[in-house]
Amino acid sequence: MDNLSHTDRKKRLSTLRQELAHQKLDGFIIPRTDAHQGEYVAEQSERLAWSTGFTGSAGFSLVTPKNAAIFSDSRYHLQMRQQCPADLFDHRDSTQDSLTEWFAESLPDHAVIGADPWLHSYHSWKTLEQELRAKNLTLRPTANPIDTIWQDRPDAPKKEIIPHDLQYAGLSHHQKCTDIAKELTKSGNDTVILTQPDSISWLLNIRGNDLPCTPTPLCFAFAHKDGSVDLFIAPEQMSDTLTQHLGATVRCHNIQDFEAKCAQLKGNIRLDPHKIPALIAHDVEDNKDCTLSFAADPCTLPKALKNNVEQEGARKAHLVDGVAITKFLCWLDQKAQNKAKITELDAVKRLRLFREEHPDFKDDSFETISGAAENGAIVHYRVTEDSNRPLTENDLYLCDSGGQYPFGTTDITRTILFGDSPSDEMVNDYTRVLKGHIQLSRSTFPTGTDGKTLDALARMPLWEDKKDYGHGTGHGVGSYLSVHEGPQGIHKRATTPLQSGMIISNEPGYYREGFYGIRIENLILTSAPNDAGFQEFETLTLAPYDRRLIDPTLLADADLDWLNTYHHKVYQALSPHLERDQKHWLAKATAPIKKPDAPQGRHKPSFGASPSPKF
């Protein structure tokens, strides 16, 4: 879909406008989501990409008879401009520009705006309705016109549902259902409607393959205060193995019956207003046998609090993944030293092969971001055959990738010099990003501290140089689930207190448009409070940083001590699993870094040119 020609985009817009006229709509909203309100969607739900060519994971489009706009945040501004021609789409910042203002500027009073109520949460629908009404515009629920004109639209996925073994989950699904039932009883709810596949997968200890990179089935569920659950899946996904795993307290139904069953519920029904589709919320709202209670999905927080088994699984996943990443970095450095010709796609394929060497590797945890030079400055760049760029001497190469293993999910970014002679600007920027990364890694904070409070630690070294980055510093990560999960995070709006067992990314960056991008990412595990009520982070990720890009004079002694201690840990953990030449390379890559005794110009070690560390 990201290879749409200009003619294709123009034709699809024209066809969509004809369908809007047929439905008597003056405008339509195309979100990048599905009925589950998740980040990843099946191919049949890629309506935004099909109609506009935009393949970012966050954004939406607005279409009227004469105009169209594409909205996304700063991560995708460069991509948006590349994929959505300016003569067809107005480019807008979704964090600053108003959807309703754009419609008000484009349409006359009393215009009717259509939206698919399956694709908007109850909260967003109510907000949209109110804001459009204030502009003398009307929001109308409608059947999705894109589904009418998308002639070769793929079928819904219906892949096998797999029990998630207790050796990986650490807690039986019967116990989880009992715990959720207690929460419902405590809050006075009879039933909660669950619409997020990762919540249901966690609750019932099941996994699937309906979504790219995220091992969940597309499903809905009711969890009841008596501990029983109604699970809605495709009939093709039902099996004796699944029935045996779920037991008598979990009843399976056809997913096509979900809406009708919602309308038949009785009692106090709990809905997450930010996740429940507006259509379902309105059905329950119209049911005289129901009262509504709006609260967060009760699975979200306990899912984020990894138990001891999940924590050990995460450590194992990062050991396995660290071996693959280190083999990849060694291979990449050898290619650079030999002046071999490789491209961004070559690197993606080789990294995948290294991960596939381990028998427990299931899939990437997201599509690998492989960006050389100016492509690295596109925060969520996705390489294609058209954009594929060769790595040339002294390019900065940004690789953000992850793996899915039954025992854990990984997400790591390393920025590497493809050569031996970085510019002073590269070294300065990289070291400042690394310094912020380290400051967050070694932080100690009182219990109850939220991610918003810690965010500045990672940004301060860049702020001192009048620089910043537009994305968040950290997101939650699941346990063989979604690589992006809440409620935890480290960013300017993260208000959830960080609790023991939460896994979060630590990924500051800097992006010099047209030249290079730098991001450094590890996953970190929040510790239990100590006797004084303070917590810290355990770094899970195991892979070396590029020492050629580090200016030790910019690092505080405590930062340098942390870096050398971390590199010592990386070598000790990974070297037993490497071939001789790879082990030799890693020894050099993780050798202690020292500050020069006297001013003598910038320190310029090679990635693997320093003496081997002695342990």
Side-chain angles (χ1 to χ4, degrees):
M1 292 184 186
D2 50 353
N3 292 321
L4 275 181
S5 69
H6 186 276
T7 301
D8 287 337
R9 288 176 172 87
K10 192 172 182 179
K11 182 178 179 180
R12 290 180 183 182
L13 272 177
S14 175
T15 307
L16 176 57
R17 285 175 172 134
Q18 291 173 22
E19 182 61 24
L20 296 184
H22 177 72
Q23 294 193 23
K24 295 181 170 53
L25 296 173
D26 301 302
F28 188 69
I29 304 169
I30 310 170
R32 198 276 181 186
T33 188
D34 62 8
H36 306 275
Q37 302 296 312
E39 177 182 3
Y40 290 98
V41 300
E43 191 176 358
Q44 72 150 193
S45 296
E46 291 277 12
R47 298 176 180 90
L48 182 62
W50 183 87
S51 57
T52 68
F54 177 67
T55 59
S57 66
F60 57 89
S61 180
L62 311 178
V63 179
T64 70
K66 294 183 179 179
N67 301 309
I70 186 81
F71 285 66
S72 192
D73 59 46
S74 62
R75 295 172 298 168
Y76 295 106
H77 286 175
L78 288 176
Q79 182 176 337
M80 189 167 62
R81 293 199 294 268
Q82 291 175 355
Q83 294 183 326
C84 303
D87 63 322
L88 298 179
F89 297 95
D90 187 10
H91 299 148
R92 295 297 182 105
D93 187 327
S94 59
T95 64
Q96 299 181 24
D97 298 327
S98 165
L99 174 160
T100 51
E101 289 286 351
W102 188 88
F103 271 133
E105 293 169 1
S106 305
L107 294 170
D109 285 352
H110 310 299
V112 177
I113 310 300
D116 184 342
W118 276 108
L119 307 185
H120 297 264
S121 71
Y122 178 79
H123 176 268
S124 67
W125 187 276
K126 288 293 186 184
T127 302
L128 268 173
E129 201 169 39
Q130 182 178 1
E131 292 179 352
L132 288 170
R133 188 183 300 118
K135 298 291 183 182
N136 292 318
L137 301 171
T138 300
L139 182 64
R140 179 195 293 171
T142 182
N144 202 305
I146 293 175
D147 297 352
T148 301
I149 65 174
W150 188 353
Q151 295 182 353
D152 57 349
R153 184 176 172 226
D155 294 331
K158 301 168 185 176
K159 297 182 180 179
E160 180 184 7
I161 295 178
I162 305 163
H164 187 53
D165 199 277
L166 190 60
Q167 67 172 312
Y168 305 130
L171 194 65
S172 73
H173 70 281
H174 298 297
Q175 184 60 56
K176 292 178 182 179
C177 290
T178 298
D179 292 343
I180 294 301
K182 290 177 181 177
E183 164 65 18
L184 294 177
T185 300
K186 181 181 177 181
S187 58
N189 305 131
D190 295 294
T191 299
V192 59
I193 301 178
L194 301 173
T195 59
Q196 290 213 288
D198 63 332
S199 285
I200 301 166
S201 296
W202 171 84
L203 179 65
L204 299 180
N205 285 346
I206 57 176
R207 298 296 187 267
N209 295 288
D210 287 347
L211 295 173
C213 303
T214 305
T216 60
L218 289 174
C219 54
F220 299 104
F222 303 152
H224 305 285
K225 69 176 182 181
D226 64 358
S228 68
V229 173
D230 289 291
L231 174 64
F232 296 86
I233 56 177
E236 296 89 340
Q237 295 175 301
M238 299 177 189
S239 66
D240 292 341
T241 300
L242 180 64
T243 300
Q244 184 177 0
H245 164 73
L246 293 174
T249 58
V250 181
R251 300 170 290 269
C252 291
H253 308 272
N254 190 326
I255 196 170
Q256 297 297 328
D257 297 331
F258 174 63
E259 183 182 358
K261 292 289 187 181
C262 285
Q264 297 170 11
L265 286 169
K266 296 180 180 181
N268 187 288
I269 310 302
R270 179 167 170 170
L271 309 174
D272 186 333
H274 298 281
K275 304 299 181 184
I276 191 84
L279 182 141
I280 296 300
H282 290 149
D283 284 348
V284 179
E285 203 170 31
D286 293 339
N287 184 347
K288 295 179 181 179
D289 292 326
C290 293
T291 57
L292 296 188
S293 176
F294 293 108
D297 178 340
C299 299
T300 301
L301 182 57
K303 174 166 57 69
L305 303 177
K306 309 298 184 290
N307 59 48
N308 290 336
V309 170
E310 291 172 320
Q311 291 180 31
E312 280 303 311
R315 294 184 184 101
K316 180 179 179 180
H318 284 85
L319 174 62
V320 170
D321 208 60
V323 171
I325 288 290
T326 298
K327 289 179 178 180
F328 171 70
L329 294 176
C330 174
W331 171 84
L332 194 67
D333 196 40
Q334 290 171 346
K335 293 296 182 182
Q337 299 305 318
N338 295 331
K339 301 188 184 304
K341 294 182 179 179
I342 65 169
T343 68
E344 295 166 336
L345 279 177
D346 292 334
V348 170
K349 293 171 184 176
R350 196 67 185 88
L351 176 54
R352 172 84 183 203
L353 288 174
F354 281 127
R355 283 197 167 106
E356 288 176 342
E357 289 179 2
H358 197 280
D360 287 319
F361 175 74
K362 298 299 184 183
D363 196 2
D364 297 326
S365 60
F366 57 97
E367 190 166 357
T368 297
I369 298 169
S370 174
E374 68 274 9
N375 286 344
I378 303 172
V379 178
H380 277 198
Y381 170 69
R382 187 169 84 174
V383 58
T384 66
E385 292 290 348
D386 290 338
S387 69
N388 190 25
R389 184 191 189 284
L391 278 65
T392 58
E393 188 171 6
N394 296 322
D395 276 348
L396 280 189
Y397 170 66
L398 188 155
C399 185
D400 186 350
S401 70
Q404 291 283 13
Y405 305 88
F407 33 80
T409 300
T410 69
D411 183 359
I412 174 175
T413 308
R414 287 296 183 264
T415 303
I416 306 107
L417 179 70
F418 194 74
D420 288 313
S421 300
S423 68
D424 290 343
E425 290 82 3
M426 290 177 179
V427 172
N428 175 74
D429 294 341
Y430 181 95
T431 306
R432 289 183 181 279
V433 172
L434 177 64
K435 184 178 177 69
H437 172 85
I438 292 173
Q439 287 183 172
L440 181 58
S441 301
R442 64 182 187 85
S443 62
T444 301
F445 49 92
T447 298
T449 300
D450 59 26
K452 175 168 59 67
T453 303
L454 296 178
D455 183 67
L457 292 176
R459 298 179 187 272
M460 194 65 70
L462 285 165
W463 286 352
E464 290 170 349
D465 205 30
K466 307 297 187 294
K467 295 171 181 173
D468 199 3
Y469 50 95
H471 56 77
T473 299
H475 57 82
V477 177
S479 181
Y480 191 41
L481 282 172
S482 175
V483 75
H484 295 139
E485 76 168 19
Q488 73 274 32
I490 300 175
H491 52 79
K492 295 174 183 178
R493 299 178 303 282
T495 57
T496 299
L498 301 180
Q499 299 181 47
S500 174
M502 287 180 169
I503 296 176
I504 314 168
S505 68
N506 170 5
E507 50 180 312
Y510 176 68
Y511 309 92
R512 189 179 176 200
E513 186 175 344
F515 291 91
Y516 55 76
I518 297 167
R519 186 160 64 253
I520 301 171
E521 177 186 18
N522 288 344
L523 297 191
I524 51 181
L525 171 67
T526 310
S527 73
N530 61 19
D531 292 340
F534 276 74
Q535 295 174 272
E536 57 188 13
F537 294 121
E538 172 191 343
T539 295
L540 298 172
T541 305
L542 296 167
Y545 306 106
D546 192 337
R547 50 192 295 119
R548 294 165 298 194
L549 294 166
I550 299 172
D551 180 357
T553 65
L554 289 178
L555 299 176
D557 290 345
D559 297 332
L560 197 55
D561 287 345
W562 185 96
L563 175 62
N564 286 328
T565 299
Y566 174 76
H567 270 161
H568 176 103
K569 177 184 176 181
V570 168
Y571 183 81
Q572 294 286 75
L574 301 183
S575 58
H577 307 282
L578 299 174
E579 300 294 333
R580 182 175 179 179
D581 63 327
Q582 295 164 343
K583 185 184 298 187
H584 180 67
W585 178 90
L586 181 62
K588 294 178 179 179
T590 57
I593 298 174
K594 298 180 180 180
K595 290 186 179 181
D597 295 329
Q600 52 183 323
R602 181 165 55 76
H603 185 61
K604 294 184 179 180
S606 296
F607 205 177
S610 299
S612 300
K614 297 178 180 179
F615 300 121

